[in-house]
Amino acid sequence: MKIRSFLIEVALSKKGKISLSELPQQEIEERVRRVWREGLPEGSSPEVVEAVDGSRNKKTYAGYVIYAVGACSLRFEGGSLGQEAFTVEIDLLKPEEYSDARLRTLMGIVEAKRALDGAGEAGALLIDGSIVGDVLRPTVFNYEIGERERKWALELFKELKEGFTTDGVDSKEFYGEIEKKFPGREFPVVAGFLEYLEYLYSLYRLIEEGKEKIIAVSKRSNSNFYGLDPVLPDITAFYLANPPDGYSEPHRVKVAEKKFNLPGEFEELLMEKEFWSFYFRCGGGIYKCETNMEPLEALKVLVYYQVRGYPFPLREVHRRVKITRSDMEEVIRILKHRGITGREGLGE
């Protein structure tokens, strides 16, 4: 017997008993009506719009991982799909410990740099996810690195900045120097911290060069700014109320309002950045938008490019950049890597 039959038994016993909110449906709908603006502006777009997304995947072995991270940018000119550009990194991370945190950072680096490359000519930059969340993304390296290692990495980062490129992950050029200085278990922490600094610097450059251009769209959010439910995030309450096409009352979000400390110079460079934040619905789902454009101007772009309720450029760039399990297996095959995963005894 497998666990499936027990899962079915428990699920049947809970059928109809799981509810999202403690508030009555009518109360949620009334709260949403107070902040929701029905109707949307007519769609329009700058001549050039750039959409950017990233992806990551890995194959885990006993003690290390082989990974692939990538980013794609798609250019739309006059509403039509134009050129595409990709950045891809494939390598090995050792040890396996910290690999998930490092991979997320590495993907963030190539994604931000891919957007940075297109920021100059674009009139609008469509980005998947939360730009404020990107800045405040917690990382273990900011807490686990020792003071001596932190000071050394911050000095090394100055050298990285001088040779900063948008071609890939610059931190990789310093792995040998880091491993020579910290050959033991400190290596992945110091390397991860340097990657984190490069990630923050890439974001800073993007925000500076993408002024009044960034439109970040999130499919999920934990924000409770509107206070629509005592526990649930606003986006869940909006879905429960099911409002018509429109948008929530825009409000300003300052990064510094979030209780989070950034390392080195980034406390000053990034914590004072501000964005407009609101939710919108355009013929489909409800999504969160963070932008440094005027909210109505950002909405015009979102309305112009929506297909089935979601910005088509973001849908298409996601489709093109996604690194699938099959892609990863092909990478391993080409590399001709024969490693031990430790799961061979399970037939996996």
Side-chain angles (χ1 to χ4, degrees), residues 148-163:
R148 180 175 71 96
E149 293 84 358
R150 178 188 294 267
K151 289 180 179 178
W152 187 85
L154 286 169
E155 286 299 315
L156 194 63
F157 174 62
K158 294 177 182 178
E159 186 177 341
L160 185 151
K161 279 199 302 182
E162 291 176 1

Side-chain angles (χ1 to χ4, degrees), residues 197-210:
L197 295 174
E198 181 182 357
Y199 166 73
L200 290 176
Y201 186 64
S202 302
L203 275 180
Y204 167 71
R205 290 279 298 270
L206 172 61
I207 293 169
E208 285 296 299
E209 298 185 32

Side-chain angles (χ1 to χ4, degrees), residues 218-229:
S218 302
K219 295 175 282 295
R220 289 179 288 186
S221 171
N222 290 319
S223 171
N224 196 29
F225 173 83
Y226 297 105
L228 302 175
D229 186 274

